[in-house]
């Protein structure tokens, strides 16, 4: 017998699965995946990579016992191009490249999941004070998802061309572009995140003000612009400033930009994600078949 309380499913009862967790734990895991990527890549490059190729290199075990590394970082395209090595130089040559391409999924997949969850978290807000953030999120989140998903292309397009040739520069452009877009995605994520916790009044550190959060976002945007302009200036053949070993001040500034970016895009967000992961602001997901 069917009445107004009978589910419109032909009388069938379907199960429901509900999960509750703090999505900041997902972001923390993804950011730590990036740290693991660099640590493992550096270790493998120093102990297993042979570059440039040579006859009779030391074995992995011999290097562990103290034999010198067969990875000459000063022979890489990036070193010759900029006058110093980027952190990614430790990920660009096999077997480090293959291992890194596997590990990077520990960064990409959690971050993609977080981007989706954060989009739903923001767009589900009903308070009018979130209206502008919701509008921005509908633009930023899809871009972030695309930029993060295709970040792995840095391993498809290795910067291993011949320095001084257009073909070599083109290979570097194909390698750098996915990284540049990933950087842009991280800037967008920082803006959304800072904006959200400011509106929510849930900044995890009592001494951090909303103005400080905005200053952090501004600093990250400036760092991204400087980083991008610096790289493209080299690509077009007009460096913003010299960075070779005979210009130690210029090289020091460039390294500060490179390592400073790692700190503000990975280090600080990871610390905040750690703090926010236990603030009680959990999210509940419900899965239920409708037919």
């Amino acid at each position: 017998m069917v009445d107004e309380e009978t589910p419109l499913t032909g009388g069938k009862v379907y199960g429901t699965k509900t999960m509750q967790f703090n999505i900041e734990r997902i972001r923390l895991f993804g950011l730590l995946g990036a740290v693991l990527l660099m640590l493992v890549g550096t270790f493998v490059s120093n102990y297993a990579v042979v570059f440039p190729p040579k006859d009779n290199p030391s074995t992995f075990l011999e290097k562990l016992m103290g034999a010198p590394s067969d990875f000459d970082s000063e022979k890489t395209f990036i070193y010759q191009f900029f006058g110093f090595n980027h952190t990614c130089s430790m990920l660009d040559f096999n077997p480090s490249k293959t291992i890194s391409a596997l590990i990077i999924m520990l960064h990409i997949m959690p971050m993609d999941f977080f981007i989706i969850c954060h989009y739903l978290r923001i767009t589900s807000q009903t308070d009018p004070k979130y209206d502008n953030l919701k509008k921005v999120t509908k633009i930023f989140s899809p871009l972030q998802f695309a930029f993060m998903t295709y970040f792995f292309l840095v391993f498809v397009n290795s910067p291993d061309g011949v320095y001084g040739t257009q073909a070599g520069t083109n290979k570097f452009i194909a390698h750098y572009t996915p990284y540049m877009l990933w950087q842009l995605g991280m800037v967008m994520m920082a803006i959304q995140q800072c904006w959200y916790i400011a509106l929510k009044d849930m900044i995890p550190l009592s001494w951090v003000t909303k103005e400080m959060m905005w200053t952090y976002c501004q600093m990250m945007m400036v760092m991204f612009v400087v980083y991008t302009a610096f790289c493209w200036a080299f690509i077009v053949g007009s460096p913003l400033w010299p960075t070779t070993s005979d210009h130690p001040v210029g090289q020091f500034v460039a390294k500060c930009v490179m390592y400073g970016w790692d700190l503000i895009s990975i280090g600080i967000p990871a610390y905040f994600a750690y703090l926010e992961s236990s603030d009680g602001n959990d999210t509940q997901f419900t899965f239920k078949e409708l037919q």
Side-chain angles (χ1 to χ4, degrees):
M1 180 176 180
V2 179
D3 58 28
E4 65 274 11
E5 295 183 356
T6 302
L8 300 178
T9 56
K12 296 180 180 179
V13 178
Y14 294 97
T16 299
K17 179 68 175 180
T18 300
M19 296 181 293
Q20 181 172 316
F21 57 91
N22 192 310
I23 67 172
E24 291 299 330
R25 294 177 184 171
I26 306 300
R27 183 165 72 113
L28 175 61
F29 186 85
L31 293 170
L32 292 178
V35 175
L36 179 67
L37 171 71
M38 291 308 309
L39 293 175
V40 174
T42 299
F43 174 81
V44 176
S45 287
N46 285 327
Y47 290 95
V49 170
V50 179
F51 181 83
K54 57 190 284 189
D55 295 328
N56 301 316
S58 301
T59 66
F60 177 75
L61 291 177
E62 288 172 338
K63 294 186 183 74
L64 286 178
M65 297 301 292
S69 174
D70 289 307
F71 177 56
D72 187 350
S73 62
E74 295 187 6
K75 293 294 193 300
T76 65
F77 177 91
I78 288 180
Y79 184 92
Q80 296 176 76
F81 197 59
F82 293 108
F84 66 97
N85 267 306
H86 187 272
T87 48
C88 74
S89 296
M90 292 296 178
L91 314 176
D92 291 335
F93 301 92
N94 275 318
S96 179
K97 182 170 74 169
T98 298
I99 295 173
S100 297
L102 296 172
I103 294 177
I104 200 173
M105 292 304 154
L106 298 179
H107 172 66
I108 290 176
M109 291 192 293
M111 296 301 283
D112 272 350
F113 184 50
F114 171 79
I115 290 168
I116 295 171
C117 291
H118 193 53
Y119 172 85
L120 295 173
R121 176 166 68 176
I122 291 175
T123 56
S124 65
Q125 301 295 325
T126 56
D127 193 317
K129 69 180 181 180
Y130 292 95
D131 286 351
N132 288 330
L133 175 56
K134 288 163 73 172
K135 292 176 183 177
V136 170
T137 294
K138 289 177 181 179
I139 298 172
F140 277 15
S141 290
L143 292 174
Q144 287 175 53
F145 187 86
F147 297 160
M148 182 64 67
T149 299
Y150 290 104
F151 184 32
F152 74 92
L153 288 175
V154 296
F155 298 112
V156 175
N157 306 312
S158 296
D160 55 4
V162 178
Y163 174 68
T165 67
Q166 187 59 49
T169 301
N170 289 342
K171 294 193 74 172
F172 172 74
I173 293 173
H175 170 78
Y176 168 64
T177 300
Y179 178 74
M180 177 187 69
L181 294 176
W182 171 84
Q183 288 180 303
L184 179 57
M186 296 302 286
V187 172
M188 293 177 176
M189 182 178 292
I191 293 172
Q192 283 180 285
Q193 192 69 10
C194 291
W195 197 346
Y196 171 74
I197 63 175
L199 290 175
K200 196 82 171 178
D201 289 322
M202 294 188 70
I203 299 175
L205 296 172
S206 59
W207 54 270
V208 175
T209 64
K210 295 179 180 179
E211 290 73 21
M212 292 170 67
M213 299 285 287
W214 174 235
T215 299
Y216 162 74
C217 290
Q218 290 176 310
M219 181 176 66
M220 196 168 181
M221 287 186 281
V222 169
M223 185 76 80
F224 170 72
V225 170
V226 172
Y227 202 124
T228 305
F230 173 81
C231 290
W232 280 102
F234 271 90
I235 289 171
V236 300
S238 300
L240 297 180
W241 68 85
T243 57
T244 52
S245 57
D246 53 337
H247 294 87
V249 175
Q251 187 178 91
F252 175 77
V253 172
K255 288 183 177 181
C256 285
V257 172
M258 178 179 68
Y259 290 116
W261 170 262
D262 293 340
L263 174 64
I264 66 173
S265 67
I266 299 295
I268 293 177
Y271 180 56
F272 268 68
Y274 168 73
L275 296 175
E276 292 173 56
S277 66
S278 57
D279 63 4
N281 187 28
D282 289 359
T283 300
Q284 187 177 87
F285 289 87
T286 300
F287 179 83
K288 181 178 180 179
E289 285 190 319
L290 300 180
Q291 62 179 3

